Amino acid sequence: MRLIISFLLFFALNITSAQQKKELTEQEYLLLQDKIRLNISKNLDSSFVYVHIMEKSNNDKHLAFANGTLSYLFQLKGNSIKSKEKYILAFKYADRLPDSREKIRLKSYLYNYGGLSEYIRGNFSKALENYQLGIKLSLQLDDIIQIVKFKSNIAFVNEAVGNYELAIKNLKQLDVVVDNNENFYTKEQFNTIKSNNNITIGGSYESLYVKNQSKKYLLDSAAYFYKKTIFYSQNNPSNKIAAKISLGNVYFLKNDYQNAEKMYYDIVFFAKQNNLKREFTIANFNLGNLYFDIKKYDKALVLLKRVDSISKVNNTKDENFLKANYYLAKIYNIKKEPELAYKYSKIYLDNYEKSEAKLNNEALEVNYRLGTGDLSDEMVTIQEKYANEVLFSKVLKVFYVLLVVGIVFLLIKNIRDKNKAHKKMNALIEEFKANLEKKEKTPIPEPVLEPEILQLEDIQFKKENVNLSIDEAKENKIVEKLLALENKLEYLNPDFTLQYVAKKIKTNTTYLSYVVNKRFGKSFGEYSNELKINYVINEMITNHMYRKYSTQAIAESVGFKNAVSFAKSFRKRTGVSPAQFANNI
């Protein structure tokens, strides 16, 4: 009897074990992958459930992906030890697989999760190293989705270490790639990557403004990309709330305290209801900062102390913890409570030095890796191109000869161009200075009729509008409104188009185009570009800081869509590039 019972128990255990460990079908595996990824941003606990289902498979590929995902999920929960254990385990399973395209793809996924985990830990150089390893694998497979993902993550690292302009440039280029390859993505994937890219672009613009607060237009750019983030984040609550926090920051920086306060309180309530600890802490700090700014110190104290307490309980001495202690010290100093002021200032200083040193080291390491990464890519290209050593030697010799000849030619040309540019610059500078003095001494006259001068491109316009007749008073009114827009510097707006201006001054595009052509002797596009270029010339002459900006930054400041079209218009007006103009001044 005992023998029969033992046999039945053994049989039952075997059946249970077999049910717990069975290989998933490829379709089941891919479906679980999608569910895990989609729930990471929506419901972390649901992601854990789907990963644990995948863990029940006895397929090494499935176990590698499950453990790689768990390493990221545990890091999101703040458990670094468990995260690192799962990451090592993921690669153990992956290394058991035979060499194949599937193994390469799987390892690229693991490097991505490793990079994301290191990013959360603040180890930006290690995050970048993971992304660089992963992107090499994805390039072998021509995996456009994964390549874009890695490029986006590298841009996020740049934003984190202060390479804001590089992050903006790279993400705008990626956004075009994503739009052109929309068919590669599901709707959810497309919205997720657009949401991630837009929030980082917005953050970079906001950070650039903080560095140079004279450029108010950067806040408008930040707000624009935060609103785009909210649009693309309908199924991504973490990004949506982060974008709303940042939009509140933009209101705050614009001194729109009422809207900022409302936005922050909305986030406090939402974060509390959904147990979002990080967002709850950030919103409380932002409210405390706002009340400090408007000198409501008692309210500020309540909120900033809450941030300090939460950070100590969770052992997260992050940026919000540091800044909360900074403002607490300032408030107690204002209230003339020296003991408390000293207490919080000491906490701030003790932690600030460590935090700043770590960030500086990470920034140096990231920039070093970016440099060596580009160099490595260049070396690989050269190696592939010149596989034959003899051919390489011959080509190199010819290259050196041409290089020397080219350098000599460029030196001679550069000297001549400098002399020519110098003369032209002096004439142009004197012309603008004279105009400035004239404007200061004499009032702005009423616009007068100018002779009709048509360029070749406007001949067709003349033919089509030969019978067009506008009352002179109406013409004068349009010109008067145009000059008013000029005085308000409306032409610096990227939306300063024929349609926009016509709507602004309450006329139609046909009348507006006709009046601009007749009164100013140019098309509306030429008129708009000339205003922008004249503004840049004037700023360069009168503002020494403006001359230090990059061509891209100057182009954006006057509403050009890109640096190439700006440089072309600038050269057409002045005969030289913006950089040459700035150098000669």
Side-chain angles (χ1 to χ4, degrees):
M1 187 67 179
R2 287 181 182 178
L3 186 64
I4 294 169
I5 292 170
S6 298
F7 175 78
L8 289 171
L9 283 171
F10 177 75
F11 182 70
L13 284 170
N14 276 341
I15 290 172
T16 306
S17 177
Q19 286 175 341
Q20 287 178 341
K21 280 282 181 183
K22 68 170 187 175
E23 186 170 331
L24 299 170
T25 66
E26 188 65 14
Q27 187 176 359
E28 288 172 331
Y29 168 62
L30 294 174
L31 186 62
L32 280 171
Q33 269 192 356
D34 288 339
K35 287 182 176 179
I36 290 164
R37 286 170 177 147
L38 290 172
N39 278 282
I40 283 174
S41 58
K42 291 198 289 188
N43 189 328
L44 212 57
D45 292 332
S46 294
S47 281
F48 271 105
V49 171
Y50 291 122
V51 175
H52 289 320
I53 293 171
M54 190 182 287
E55 270 191 305
K56 291 178 182 178
S57 173
N58 56 15
N59 183 303
D60 287 334
K61 180 176 76 171
H62 305 163
L63 291 170
F65 183 86
N67 280 280
T69 310
L70 280 171
S71 71
Y72 177 47
L73 293 176
F74 277 119
Q75 191 56 57
L76 286 172
K77 288 273 190 180
N79 191 338
S80 296
I81 295 171
K82 201 77 175 172
S83 170
K84 290 172 183 177
E85 286 175 3
K86 291 295 181 182
Y87 193 60
I88 292 167
L89 193 57
F91 273 96
K92 283 184 179 177
Y93 283 118
D95 288 335
R96 291 180 189 176
L97 298 170
D99 290 340
S100 63
R101 288 175 64 83
E102 195 57 40
K103 183 177 181 178
I104 293 171
R105 179 175 283 105
L106 177 62
K107 283 199 167 184
S108 78
Y109 293 160
L110 297 183
Y111 281 127
N112 188 45
Y113 282 132
L116 291 169
S117 298
E118 294 293 354
Y119 181 92
I120 294 168
R121 293 177 199 132
N123 299 329
F124 303 123
S125 57
K126 286 185 179 179
L128 179 62
E129 183 182 0
N130 276 276
Y131 297 146
Q132 287 174 330
L133 289 168
I135 206 168
K136 285 180 182 177
L137 298 179
S138 298
L139 284 167
Q140 292 178 36
L141 305 172
D142 290 326
D143 187 343
I144 184 73
I145 292 177
Q146 201 66 9
I147 290 167
V148 167
K149 209 177 278 186
F150 280 121
K151 291 278 188 183
S152 295
N153 289 342
I154 288 171
F156 303 157
V157 169
N158 274 314
E159 194 266 345
V161 299
N163 296 335
Y164 305 122
E165 290 178 348
L166 183 58
I168 291 168
K169 177 186 172 185
N170 290 345
L171 286 172
K172 282 185 175 179
Q173 290 171 346
L174 273 178
D175 221 32
V176 174
V177 173
V178 172
D179 288 338
N180 291 340
N181 294 277
E182 187 175 350
N183 58 307
F184 281 93
Y185 300 92
T186 64
K187 187 178 179 182
E188 292 242 25
Q189 287 173 334
F190 178 78
N191 286 341
T192 297
I193 198 159
K194 293 284 283 186
S195 168
N196 289 339
N197 288 353
N198 278 292
I199 196 168
T200 306
I201 296 173
S204 296
Y205 272 116
E206 186 182 338
S207 297
L208 279 174
Y209 168 77
V210 172
K211 285 175 71 176
N212 189 342
Q213 297 186 15
S214 64
K215 296 183 176 182
K216 290 286 185 184
Y217 67 90
L218 290 171
L219 285 178
D220 295 327
S221 296
Y224 170 74
F225 286 103
Y226 289 143
K227 287 173 183 175
K228 281 187 75 174
T229 303
I230 294 167
F231 174 79
Y232 285 112
S233 300
Q234 300 310 313
N235 294 307
N236 191 336
S238 60
N239 269 14
K240 190 173 184 178
I241 195 170
K244 285 188 172 184
I245 289 172
S246 298
L247 199 54
N249 294 343
V250 170
Y251 290 136
F252 177 73
L253 290 168
K254 286 185 168 184
N255 298 327
D256 183 356
Y257 297 120
Q258 189 175 355
N259 276 321
E261 183 183 27
K262 182 180 181 301
M263 187 70 75
Y264 292 149
Y265 270 118
D266 287 346
I267 294 156
V268 166
F269 296 137
F270 181 83
K272 192 171 184 179
Q273 287 173 348
N274 292 275
N275 197 28
L276 300 171
K277 295 179 182 177
R278 182 173 175 274
E279 288 77 8
F280 182 74
T281 305
I282 293 169
N284 272 282
F285 168 75
N286 289 353
L287 276 167
N289 189 16
L290 185 151
Y291 287 131
F292 174 85
D293 212 54
I294 58 178
K295 299 181 180 178
K296 292 185 178 180
Y297 299 126
D298 290 331
K299 279 190 172 184
L301 275 176
V302 173
L303 293 154
L304 294 169
K305 280 184 177 179
R306 185 182 295 165
V307 174
D308 181 61
S309 300
I310 293 169
S311 300
K312 284 175 180 174
V313 169
N314 296 328
N315 196 26
T316 53
K317 295 182 179 179
D318 57 7
E319 186 182 3
N320 293 303
F321 167 77
L322 281 174
K323 290 190 293 188
N325 278 277
Y326 170 80
Y327 283 110
L328 283 168
K330 290 191 76 169
I331 291 170
Y332 281 119
N333 185 52
I334 291 165
K335 284 177 162 287
K336 296 181 179 178
E337 297 185 40
E339 289 183 7
L340 289 169
Y342 173 78
K343 171 190 169 183
Y344 287 108
S345 64
K346 190 174 187 306
I347 294 171
Y348 171 76
L349 290 171
D350 287 349
N351 289 278
Y352 174 80
E353 191 173 338
K354 296 174 189 174
S355 173
E356 195 68 11
K358 184 178 188 300
L359 182 59
N360 287 338
N361 288 335
E362 288 296 330
L364 287 170
E365 186 67 22
V366 164
N367 288 321
Y368 170 75
R369 287 189 183 282
L370 284 172
T372 53
D374 293 342
L375 186 62
S376 300
D377 293 342
E378 187 181 351
M379 292 301 106
V380 169
T381 305
I382 290 171
Q383 188 179 23
E384 290 172 353
K385 192 172 181 180
Y386 302 112
N388 188 314
E389 191 175 341
V390 176
L391 178 62
F392 174 77
S393 179
K394 288 179 180 178
V395 171
L396 198 60
K397 285 177 183 177
V398 173
F399 170 75
Y400 281 132
V401 172
L402 291 174
L403 184 64
V404 172
V405 172
I407 289 171
V408 172
F409 172 79
L410 287 172
L411 283 171
I412 294 169
K413 186 177 182 299
N414 191 43
I415 291 167
R416 288 179 178 175
D417 287 347
K418 275 188 175 179
N419 290 334
K420 187 178 177 182
H422 192 67
K423 289 178 182 178
K424 189 163 186 174
M425 289 308 94
N426 284 337
L428 202 55
I429 290 166
E430 291 305 319
E431 178 189 334
F432 267 77
K433 283 183 177 176
N435 287 339
L436 283 171
E437 289 173 4
K438 190 176 178 181
K439 281 182 182 177
E440 288 173 359
K441 291 177 181 178
T442 60
I444 299 172
E446 286 293 318
V448 295
L449 288 169
E450 292 180 10
E452 183 175 348
I453 304 169
L454 296 180
Q455 304 296 329
L456 287 174
E457 66 187 66
D458 295 320
I459 291 172
Q460 186 64 34
F461 173 86
K462 185 178 178 184
K463 286 179 181 177
E464 292 173 2
N465 296 278
V466 69
N467 296 321
L468 184 63
S469 177
I470 308 176
D471 177 67
E472 185 176 336
K474 193 170 186 178
E475 281 186 25
N476 288 338
K477 196 70 177 172
I478 290 173
V479 172
E480 183 180 321
K481 288 179 178 179
L482 274 175
L483 292 175
L485 291 180
E486 283 184 33
N487 289 334
K488 291 178 182 177
L489 304 181
E490 283 276 351
Y491 54 81
L492 299 182
N493 190 329
D495 296 326
F496 193 79
T497 61
L498 183 66
Q499 291 78 10
Y500 172 87
V501 174
K503 187 176 179 181
K504 192 88 174 174
I505 65 175
K506 297 179 180 167
T507 186
N508 60 55
T509 54
T510 305
Y511 280 4
L512 178 58
S513 183
Y514 173 81
V515 171
V516 169
N517 198 287
K518 181 178 178 183
R519 294 296 187 95
F520 301 102
K522 51 180 72 72
S523 67
F524 184 85
E526 290 170 333
Y527 161 76
S528 171
N529 282 354
E530 188 173 292
L531 289 174
K532 295 172 190 284
I533 299 302
N534 284 344
Y535 175 86
V536 170
I537 292 170
N538 185 64
E539 283 296 297
M540 280 190 173
I541 292 169
T542 58
N543 183 353
H544 73 281
M545 289 300 295
Y546 200 82
R547 296 195 288 273
K548 295 179 181 179
Y549 299 158
S550 67
T551 303
Q552 177 69 36
I554 294 173
E556 288 184 2
S557 75
V558 292
F560 272 89
K561 290 182 179 177
N562 58 69
V564 176
S565 61
F566 163 68
K568 187 177 178 182
S569 296
F570 191 94
R571 186 177 286 277
K572 185 178 177 182
R573 172 75 176 91
T574 65
V576 293
S577 70
Q580 287 173 320
F581 189 94
N583 288 337
N584 277 279
I585 293 175

